[in-house]
Short mmCIF file of all heavy atoms in Angstrom, two decimals:
data_model
loop_
_atom_site.label_atom_id
_atom_site.label_comp_id
_atom_site.label_asym_id
_atom_site.label_seq_id
_atom_site.Cartn_x
_atom_site.Cartn_y
_atom_site.Cartn_z
N PRO F 343 -3.55 -14.71 14.63
CA PRO F 343 -3.82 -14.67 13.18
C PRO F 343 -2.51 -14.74 12.40
O PRO F 343 -1.43 -14.57 12.96
CB PRO F 343 -4.49 -13.31 13.00
CG PRO F 343 -3.95 -12.47 14.11
CD PRO F 343 -3.75 -13.40 15.27
N PRO F 344 -2.59 -15.02 11.08
CA PRO F 344 -1.38 -15.02 10.25
C PRO F 344 -0.58 -13.73 10.47
O PRO F 344 -1.14 -12.64 10.53
CB PRO F 344 -1.93 -15.08 8.82
CG PRO F 344 -3.24 -15.79 8.96
CD PRO F 344 -3.79 -15.34 10.30
N THR F 345 0.72 -13.91 10.64
CA THR F 345 1.57 -12.82 11.12
C THR F 345 2.67 -12.51 10.11
O THR F 345 3.30 -13.42 9.55
CB THR F 345 2.21 -13.24 12.45
OG1 THR F 345 1.18 -13.54 13.38
CG2 THR F 345 3.10 -12.13 13.00
N PHE F 346 2.89 -11.21 9.89
CA PHE F 346 4.02 -10.75 9.08
C PHE F 346 4.95 -10.01 10.02
O PHE F 346 4.54 -9.08 10.71
CB PHE F 346 3.51 -9.81 7.98
CG PHE F 346 4.58 -9.27 7.08
CD1 PHE F 346 4.86 -9.88 5.86
CD2 PHE F 346 5.30 -8.13 7.43
CE1 PHE F 346 5.83 -9.38 5.01
CE2 PHE F 346 6.28 -7.62 6.58
CZ PHE F 346 6.55 -8.24 5.37
N ILE F 347 6.21 -10.45 10.06
CA ILE F 347 7.20 -9.75 10.89
C ILE F 347 8.39 -9.40 10.03
O ILE F 347 8.90 -10.25 9.29
CB ILE F 347 7.68 -10.64 12.06
CG1 ILE F 347 6.51 -10.99 12.99
CG2 ILE F 347 8.78 -9.94 12.86
CD1 ILE F 347 6.92 -11.85 14.19
N GLU F 348 8.82 -8.15 10.09
CA GLU F 348 10.08 -7.80 9.44
C GLU F 348 10.94 -7.04 10.42
O GLU F 348 10.44 -6.35 11.31
CB GLU F 348 9.85 -6.97 8.17
CG GLU F 348 9.47 -5.53 8.46
CD GLU F 348 9.60 -4.63 7.24
OE1 GLU F 348 9.09 -5.01 6.17
OE2 GLU F 348 10.19 -3.55 7.37
N VAL F 349 12.25 -7.18 10.25
CA VAL F 349 13.20 -6.51 11.15
C VAL F 349 14.53 -6.40 10.42
O VAL F 349 14.80 -7.16 9.48
CB VAL F 349 13.31 -7.30 12.48
CG1 VAL F 349 14.04 -8.63 12.27
CG2 VAL F 349 13.99 -6.48 13.58
N GLY F 350 15.37 -5.46 10.82
CA GLY F 350 16.70 -5.35 10.25
C GLY F 350 17.69 -6.22 11.00
O GLY F 350 17.50 -6.50 12.20
N SER F 351 18.75 -6.66 10.33
CA SER F 351 19.76 -7.46 11.02
C SER F 351 20.64 -6.58 11.90
O SER F 351 21.35 -7.09 12.76
CB SER F 351 20.64 -8.22 10.02
OG SER F 351 21.54 -7.34 9.36
N ALA F 352 20.63 -5.26 11.67
CA ALA F 352 21.50 -4.37 12.42
C ALA F 352 20.65 -3.46 13.31
O ALA F 352 20.72 -2.23 13.23
CB ALA F 352 22.37 -3.55 11.47
N GLU F 353 19.82 -4.06 14.14
CA GLU F 353 19.03 -3.26 15.07
C GLU F 353 18.76 -4.01 16.36
O GLU F 353 18.82 -5.24 16.42
CB GLU F 353 17.72 -2.79 14.43
CG GLU F 353 16.69 -3.86 14.15
CD GLU F 353 15.31 -3.26 13.90
OE1 GLU F 353 14.77 -2.65 14.84
OE2 GLU F 353 14.79 -3.39 12.78
N THR F 354 18.48 -3.22 17.37
CA THR F 354 18.16 -3.74 18.70
C THR F 354 17.15 -4.88 18.67
O THR F 354 17.31 -5.89 19.34
CB THR F 354 17.58 -2.57 19.55
OG1 THR F 354 18.58 -1.55 19.65
CG2 THR F 354 17.19 -3.03 20.93
N PHE F 355 16.09 -4.72 17.86
CA PHE F 355 14.96 -5.65 17.91
C PHE F 355 15.17 -6.95 17.14
O PHE F 355 14.30 -7.81 17.11
CB PHE F 355 13.69 -4.97 17.38
CG PHE F 355 13.23 -3.81 18.23
CD1 PHE F 355 12.50 -2.76 17.67
CD2 PHE F 355 13.53 -3.75 19.59
CE1 PHE F 355 12.08 -1.69 18.45
CE2 PHE F 355 13.10 -2.69 20.38
CZ PHE F 355 12.37 -1.66 19.80
N ARG F 356 16.34 -7.09 16.45
CA ARG F 356 16.52 -8.27 15.59
C ARG F 356 16.17 -9.58 16.30
O ARG F 356 15.30 -10.33 15.86
CB ARG F 356 17.98 -8.35 15.11
CG ARG F 356 18.26 -9.55 14.22
CD ARG F 356 19.76 -9.72 13.98
NE ARG F 356 20.47 -10.09 15.21
CZ ARG F 356 21.70 -9.70 15.51
NH1 ARG F 356 22.38 -8.93 14.68
NH2 ARG F 356 22.26 -10.08 16.64
N ASP F 357 16.81 -9.83 17.43
CA ASP F 357 16.68 -11.16 18.03
C ASP F 357 15.31 -11.38 18.68
O ASP F 357 14.77 -12.48 18.61
CB ASP F 357 17.82 -11.39 19.02
CG ASP F 357 19.16 -11.50 18.29
OD1 ASP F 357 19.16 -11.98 17.14
OD2 ASP F 357 20.19 -11.08 18.85
N GLU F 358 14.73 -10.32 19.29
CA GLU F 358 13.42 -10.53 19.91
C GLU F 358 12.34 -10.73 18.85
O GLU F 358 11.38 -11.48 19.06
CB GLU F 358 13.06 -9.37 20.85
CG GLU F 358 12.87 -8.01 20.19
CD GLU F 358 12.94 -6.86 21.20
OE1 GLU F 358 14.01 -6.69 21.81
OE2 GLU F 358 11.93 -6.16 21.39
N ASP F 359 12.52 -10.11 17.67
CA ASP F 359 11.51 -10.26 16.62
C ASP F 359 11.62 -11.62 15.93
O ASP F 359 10.61 -12.26 15.61
CB ASP F 359 11.65 -9.13 15.59
CG ASP F 359 11.24 -7.78 16.18
OD1 ASP F 359 10.78 -7.75 17.34
OD2 ASP F 359 11.37 -6.74 15.48
N ILE F 360 12.86 -12.06 15.71
CA ILE F 360 13.06 -13.40 15.14
C ILE F 360 12.50 -14.45 16.09
O ILE F 360 11.82 -15.40 15.68
CB ILE F 360 14.56 -13.65 14.86
CG1 ILE F 360 15.04 -12.73 13.74
CG2 ILE F 360 14.80 -15.10 14.50
CD1 ILE F 360 16.56 -12.75 13.53
N ALA F 361 12.76 -14.25 17.40
CA ALA F 361 12.27 -15.20 18.39
C ALA F 361 10.74 -15.26 18.40
O ALA F 361 10.15 -16.33 18.53
CB ALA F 361 12.80 -14.82 19.78
N TYR F 362 10.10 -14.08 18.22
CA TYR F 362 8.63 -14.05 18.24
C TYR F 362 8.07 -14.87 17.08
O TYR F 362 7.14 -15.66 17.26
CB TYR F 362 8.15 -12.59 18.17
CG TYR F 362 6.76 -12.37 18.71
CD1 TYR F 362 6.50 -12.46 20.08
CD2 TYR F 362 5.69 -12.07 17.86
CE1 TYR F 362 5.23 -12.26 20.59
CE2 TYR F 362 4.41 -11.85 18.37
CZ TYR F 362 4.18 -11.95 19.73
OH TYR F 362 2.92 -11.74 20.24
N ALA F 363 8.69 -14.70 15.90
CA ALA F 363 8.24 -15.49 14.75
C ALA F 363 8.46 -16.98 15.01
O ALA F 363 7.57 -17.81 14.76
CB ALA F 363 8.98 -15.05 13.49
N SER F 364 9.63 -17.33 15.53
CA SER F 364 9.92 -18.75 15.80
C SER F 364 8.92 -19.33 16.78
O SER F 364 8.45 -20.46 16.61
CB SER F 364 11.33 -18.89 16.39
OG SER F 364 12.29 -18.56 15.42
N ARG F 365 8.58 -18.56 17.78
CA ARG F 365 7.66 -19.08 18.80
C ARG F 365 6.24 -19.22 18.25
O ARG F 365 5.49 -20.09 18.69
CB ARG F 365 7.70 -18.18 20.04
CG ARG F 365 9.08 -18.27 20.76
CD ARG F 365 9.08 -17.47 22.05
NE ARG F 365 7.95 -17.85 22.88
CZ ARG F 365 7.28 -16.99 23.65
NH1 ARG F 365 7.64 -15.71 23.68
NH2 ARG F 365 6.27 -17.41 24.37
N ILE F 366 5.87 -18.36 17.29
CA ILE F 366 4.55 -18.54 16.65
C ILE F 366 4.55 -19.86 15.87
O ILE F 366 3.59 -20.64 15.93
CB ILE F 366 4.23 -17.34 15.74
CG1 ILE F 366 3.91 -16.11 16.60
CG2 ILE F 366 3.06 -17.67 14.81
CD1 ILE F 366 3.72 -14.83 15.80
N TRP F 367 5.64 -20.13 15.14
CA TRP F 367 5.72 -21.40 14.40
C TRP F 367 5.70 -22.59 15.36
O TRP F 367 5.01 -23.57 15.15
CB TRP F 367 7.00 -21.46 13.55
CG TRP F 367 7.05 -20.48 12.44
CD1 TRP F 367 6.04 -20.14 11.61
CD2 TRP F 367 8.19 -19.70 12.04
NE1 TRP F 367 6.47 -19.19 10.71
CE2 TRP F 367 7.78 -18.91 10.94
CE3 TRP F 367 9.50 -19.59 12.48
CZ2 TRP F 367 8.64 -18.02 10.29
CZ3 TRP F 367 10.38 -18.71 11.84
CH2 TRP F 367 9.94 -17.93 10.76
N GLN F 368 6.46 -22.44 16.46
CA GLN F 368 6.52 -23.55 17.42
C GLN F 368 5.15 -23.82 18.03
O GLN F 368 4.84 -24.96 18.40
CB GLN F 368 7.55 -23.23 18.51
CG GLN F 368 8.98 -23.35 18.01
CD GLN F 368 9.97 -22.53 18.82
OE1 GLN F 368 9.65 -22.03 19.91
NE2 GLN F 368 11.18 -22.37 18.30
N ALA F 369 4.33 -22.75 18.11
CA ALA F 369 2.98 -22.91 18.68
C ALA F 369 1.97 -23.31 17.61
O ALA F 369 0.76 -23.32 17.86
CB ALA F 369 2.54 -21.60 19.34
N GLY F 370 2.46 -23.63 16.41
CA GLY F 370 1.55 -24.11 15.36
C GLY F 370 0.90 -23.00 14.57
O GLY F 370 -0.09 -23.24 13.87
N GLY F 371 1.43 -21.80 14.65
CA GLY F 371 0.84 -20.68 13.93
C GLY F 371 1.50 -20.42 12.59
O GLY F 371 2.46 -21.09 12.20
N GLN F 372 0.96 -19.44 11.89
CA GLN F 372 1.47 -19.06 10.57
C GLN F 372 2.18 -17.70 10.67
O GLN F 372 1.58 -16.72 11.13
CB GLN F 372 0.30 -18.97 9.58
CG GLN F 372 0.73 -18.85 8.14
CD GLN F 372 1.41 -20.12 7.64
OE1 GLN F 372 2.60 -20.31 7.82
NE2 GLN F 372 0.63 -21.00 7.01
N ALA F 373 3.45 -17.66 10.28
CA ALA F 373 4.17 -16.38 10.31
C ALA F 373 5.10 -16.29 9.12
O ALA F 373 5.63 -17.30 8.65
CB ALA F 373 4.96 -16.23 11.61
#
Side-chain angles (χ1 to χ4, degrees):
Chain F
T345 302
F346 180 96
I347 298 181
E348 75 165 49
V349 70
S351 74
E353 69 164 296
T354 299
F355 296 153
R356 180 190 67 214
D357 292 328
E358 65 198 62
D359 290 357
I360 292 171
Y362 203 71
S364 292
R365 292 185 53 215
I366 289 174
W367 293 319
Q368 287 156 12
Q372 191 67 276

